[in-house]
């Protein structure tokens, strides 16, 4: 089967309660999406897996949750006020607006005209005002954060002092970011409100390149561990001219989000960026540094964000390695990767979402073969309740067994447990595997151990 395109996923996502177009009853709001009952489970599984891997399984990372609205000066000194912009062009023929660097062959994406204005920078930060002041009062102007990273830099000393860390160490954060994208689109790939999983890893200057390389490999491996196949994932070295103003080197992990595009190179786009941000951020937010003419770069900050190394008695600004991934793009990659079609023995095509077990919204569905038999229903509900403390389980009796299996396959439930007439006699149930459709008979007393073994993480290779 050829890889599904995003349109196939949009339709499955809506049909099965993963993702709905937002504000649909009022005509929608371009590029805003809401996560439904299945979507939020998958979404949370991504975030929890990342946090577990990043914070709990390592000994050198702390967690943080900083504000979405920060003092405007944070964005002044980070460079976002001046430079966080995309090149905007207007089509003189049809009056539509485009991001110049994403236009195919420099032609309008709507009417194909080449009659476009010169690109001009368009700042992507959303503006709002704090307090009960006039809308045009410049002192009340604030931004919704376009990345979570700055919240980490301005808390560098807080985390350092409260956790008594020594270099190298990192601070991780998951949270919403906002960018007024010129041309959002492609479902949840590019939206104006999205969620990021970012970690800033502070190292001694000189140790940055090795640490960067290690994080590139670790992140690549993490996507493997949650089921994003290596065939659709690759590393992309950003050329010098693409690098952000603070970056020494950036490597993206790209996913084949657009398999339908003819030109192979255009099938790939960014899932995660792993940047070496040098000491730019800590320096720029510090009150001390001077520029080449001896002028203080930042007269507004009250702190020096440098680090004192006890061993060498030296003070310096740590370098920062930043793995930054999008939750939404990860969800999209997982859905695209998991989408499979299979023909049953009646010749009908069925969709199976072969999600990695750890990502599946529901781990086990308990189904009664006959919903008009109180003993069978009672037994099935009791099994669901007994499994719930260890595995996300649901009870469902809203259709015939064939329909119920098909529905669970489409939402990626790895196992269905069926209670039938025989179960009342032999205290055993049928366990059906999503991927193979094979069934086995298991004693109810052994069921949770049996299932837990199947969910055990694979040993590291
Ligand atoms: P792009 O080049 O696609 O605009 P970016 O390089 O600006 O992305 P980063 O600033 O590196 O993105 O952000 C880190 C991650 O945040 C990206 O890899 C992506 O997964 C996610 N992300 C960024 N912008 C968006 C968006 N508008 N919608 C959804 N996810 C996004």
């Amino acid at each position: 089967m050829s890889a599904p395109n995003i349109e196939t996923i949009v339709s499955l996502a809506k049909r099965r309660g993963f993702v709905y177009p937002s504000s649909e009853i009022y005509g929608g709001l371009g590029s805003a999406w809401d996560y439904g009952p299945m979507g939020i489970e998958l979404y949370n599984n991504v975030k929890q897996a990342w946090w577990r891997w990043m914070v709990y399984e390592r000994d050198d990372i702390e967690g943080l949750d900083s504000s979405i609205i920060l003092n405007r000066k944070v964005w002044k000194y980070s460079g976002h006020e001046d430079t966080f912009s995309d090149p905007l062009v207007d089509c003189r023929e049809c009056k539509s607006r485009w991001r110049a660097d994403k236009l195919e062959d420099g032609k309008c994406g709507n009417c194909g005209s080449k009659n476009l204005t010169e690109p001009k920078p368009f700042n992507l930060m959303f503006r709002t005002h704090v307090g009960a002041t006039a809308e045009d009062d410049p002192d009340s102007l604030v931004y919704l954060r376009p990345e979570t990273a700055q919240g980490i830099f301005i808390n560098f000393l807080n985390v350092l002092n409260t956790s008594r860390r020594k270099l190298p160490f990192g601070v991780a954060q998951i949270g919403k970011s906002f960018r007024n994208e010129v041309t959002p689109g492609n479902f949840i790939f590019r939206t104006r409100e999205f969620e990021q999983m970012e970690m800033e890893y502070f190292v001694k200057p000189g140790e940055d390149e090795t640490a960067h390389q290690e994080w590139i490999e670790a992140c690549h491996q993490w996507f493997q561990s949650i089921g994003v196949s290596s065939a659709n994932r690759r590393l992309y070295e950003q050329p010098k001219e693409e690098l952000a103003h603070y970056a020494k080197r950036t490597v993206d992990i790209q996913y084949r989000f657009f398999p339908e595009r003819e030109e192979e190179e255009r099938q790939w786009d960014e899932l995660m960026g792993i940047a070496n941000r040098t000491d730019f951020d800590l320096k720029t937010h510090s009150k001390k540094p001077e520029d080449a003419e001896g002028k203080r770069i930042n007269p507004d900050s009250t702190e020096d964000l440098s680090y004192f190394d006890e061993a060498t008695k030296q003070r310096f600004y740590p370098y920062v390695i930043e793995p930054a991934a999008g939750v939404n793009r990860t969800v999209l990659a997982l859905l695209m990767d998991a989408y499979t079609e299979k023909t049953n023995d009646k010749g009908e095509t069925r969709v199976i979402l072969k999600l990695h077990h750890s990502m599946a919204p529901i781990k086990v569905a308990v189904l009664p073969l006959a919903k008009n038999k109180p003993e069978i229903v009672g037994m099935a509900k009791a099994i669901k309740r007994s499994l719930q403390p260890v595995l996300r389980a649901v009870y469902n009796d809203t259709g015939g067994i064939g329909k119920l299996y098909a529905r669970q396959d489409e939402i990626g439930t790895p196992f269905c447990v069926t209670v039938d007439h025989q179960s009342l006699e032999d205290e055993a149930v049928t366990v059906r595997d999503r991927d193979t459709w094979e069934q086995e008979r298991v004693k109810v007393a052994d069921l949770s151990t049996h299932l837990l073994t199947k969910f055990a993480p694979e040993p590291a290779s």
Side-chain angles (χ1 to χ4, degrees):
M1 192 197 77
S2 60
N5 61 23
I6 289 183
E7 287 317 309
T8 316
I9 301 300
V10 175
S11 132
L12 171 76
K14 183 161 185 204
R15 189 169 74 243
R16 286 295 171 222
F18 281 92
V19 184
Y20 312 121
S22 185
S23 320
E24 209 178 6
I25 62 166
Y26 288 108
L29 170 70
S31 102
W33 300 88
D34 297 337
Y35 290 77
M38 293 304 113
I40 185 58
E41 298 293 338
L42 174 56
Y43 198 93
N44 283 339
N45 287 342
V46 169
K47 292 201 289 184
Q48 282 160 11
W50 188 87
W51 196 261
R52 224 177 9 251
W53 167 68
M54 194 54 102
V55 183
Y56 299 167
E57 288 173 10
R58 298 181 60 104
D59 301 317
D60 53 355
I61 315 268
E62 303 282 351
L64 180 81
D65 186 49
S66 67
S67 296
I68 286 174
I69 297 176
L70 303 172
N71 188 312
R72 184 181 161 190
K73 289 188 181 125
V74 172
W75 307 109
K76 174 179 172 184
Y77 288 103
S78 67
H80 285 77
E81 265 195 346
D82 287 340
T83 63
F84 195 65
S85 51
D86 279 338
L88 182 83
V89 290
D90 286 307
C91 172
R92 292 198 183 92
E93 303 294 332
C94 73
K95 310 291 174 221
S96 57
R97 300 201 127 170
W98 301 94
R99 194 173 140 180
D101 59 327
K102 294 276 174 188
L103 278 183
E104 254 177 87
D105 313 323
K107 280 191 202 166
C108 169
N110 184 38
C111 70
S113 165
K114 284 204 168 200
N115 188 6
L116 306 174
T117 57
E118 279 302 303
K120 55 175 188 278
F122 172 77
N123 196 294
L124 300 185
M125 286 196 290
F126 275 101
R127 294 154 162 250
T128 187
H129 292 265
V130 283
T133 54
E135 287 264 303
D136 54 2
D137 174 2
D139 291 339
S140 71
L141 174 65
V142 288
Y143 304 104
L144 302 188
R145 68 178 175 203
E147 63 174 29
T148 67
Q150 297 302 323
I152 297 179
F153 299 130
I154 57 173
N155 276 292
F156 173 70
L157 285 186
N158 286 335
V159 178
L160 180 70
N161 293 335
T162 49
S163 64
R164 313 203 71 77
R165 286 282 181 184
K166 287 195 170 48
L167 295 184
F169 75 95
V171 181
Q173 166 155 239
I174 301 179
K176 288 258 171 132
S177 291
F178 304 82
R179 297 181 187 177
N180 198 4
E181 299 276 2
V182 179
T183 36
N186 291 315
F187 190 38
I188 53 176
F189 176 80
R190 188 180 303 284
T191 49
R192 295 192 169 106
E193 172 182 343
F194 56 98
E195 194 149 2
Q196 292 185 305
M197 305 181 283
E198 296 197 296
M199 194 277 295
E200 309 302 322
Y201 196 68
F202 301 99
V203 297
K204 277 187 195 164
E207 294 178 7
D208 53 308
E209 290 181 11
T210 310
H212 191 195
Q213 197 54 41
E214 282 169 9
W215 276 109
I216 293 166
E217 279 149 32
C219 293
H220 211 28
Q221 185 51 41
W222 181 71
F223 282 109
Q224 180 76 27
S225 77
I226 62 164
V228 180
S229 74
S230 54
N232 291 326
R233 186 164 40 87
R234 72 172 192 185
L235 294 176
Y236 170 79
E237 181 87 36
Q238 282 192 10
K240 287 267 173 296
E241 61 276 15
E242 263 182 43
L243 289 178
H245 60 279
Y246 49 74
K248 174 171 164 187
R249 179 185 176 216
T250 299
V251 173
D252 294 339
I253 295 180
Q254 294 187 330
Y255 182 79
R256 199 192 293 270
F257 283 109
F258 307 103
E260 73 284 3
R261 291 182 180 168
E262 240 166 72
E263 197 188 319
E264 148 89 20
E265 205 39 43
R266 294 188 53 253
Q267 297 179 354
W268 301 86
D269 216 326
E270 179 178 334
L271 177 58
M272 177 180 210
I274 306 147
N276 181 342
R277 292 182 78 125
T278 68
D279 56 2
F280 174 86
D281 300 277
L282 292 181
K283 253 186 183 164
T284 197
H285 288 305
S286 289
K287 66 175 180 179
K288 276 209 182 117
E290 299 175 343
D291 65 14
E293 280 93 48
K295 216 168 74 197
R296 260 171 61 176
I297 298 169
N298 187 337
D300 292 320
S301 169
T302 58
E303 292 286 351
D304 174 29
L305 308 184
S306 62
Y307 174 86
F308 183 70
D309 190 341
E310 291 289 348
T312 61
K313 305 287 178 220
Q314 281 177 329
R315 184 167 281 284
F316 55 85
Y317 293 95
Y319 267 44
V320 177
I321 307 303
E322 176 194 76
V327 180
N328 317 71
R329 285 190 195 176
T330 305
V331 165
L332 179 56
L334 287 170
L335 288 173
M336 291 182 73
D337 235 68
Y339 186 94
T340 319
E341 289 177 0
K342 183 167 169 173
T343 308
N344 66 11
D345 46 20
K346 293 187 200 130
E348 299 156 335
T349 303
R350 295 274 182 241
V351 171
I352 309 179
L353 213 49
K354 291 192 174 177
L355 288 167
H356 189 274
H357 287 179
S358 66
M359 292 294 114
I362 290 164
K363 309 297 184 205
V364 191
V366 187
L367 317 169
L369 197 66
K371 72 167 176 184
N372 53 1
K373 268 264 181 193
E375 300 92 326
I376 292 183
V377 167
M379 187 172 175
K381 287 186 172 169
I383 290 173
K384 186 266 165 190
R385 277 196 303 274
S386 73
L387 291 176
Q388 189 50 60
V390 286
L391 288 166
R392 167 83 170 119
V394 294
Y395 166 86
N396 195 340
D397 64 8
T398 57
I401 196 71
K403 262 218 173 86
L404 293 181
Y405 283 154
R407 217 179 283 161
Q408 295 300 329
D409 284 346
E410 280 204 345
I411 58 172
T413 306
F415 299 102
C416 287
V417 166
T418 308
V419 180
D420 53 27
H421 295 90
Q422 185 66 24
S423 306
L424 302 173
E425 312 290 321
D426 65 2
E427 284 286 314
V429 287
T430 300
V431 175
R432 173 187 178 272
D433 183 297
R434 172 195 72 193
D435 299 342
T436 61
W437 291 350
E438 276 167 15
Q439 307 196 356
E440 53 185 329
R441 202 76 186 160
V442 178
K443 286 279 178 202
V444 174
D446 302 332
L447 187 60
S448 71
T449 315
H450 177 86
L451 290 169
L452 279 175
T453 315
K454 293 181 182 282
F455 283 102
E458 290 134 33
S461 52

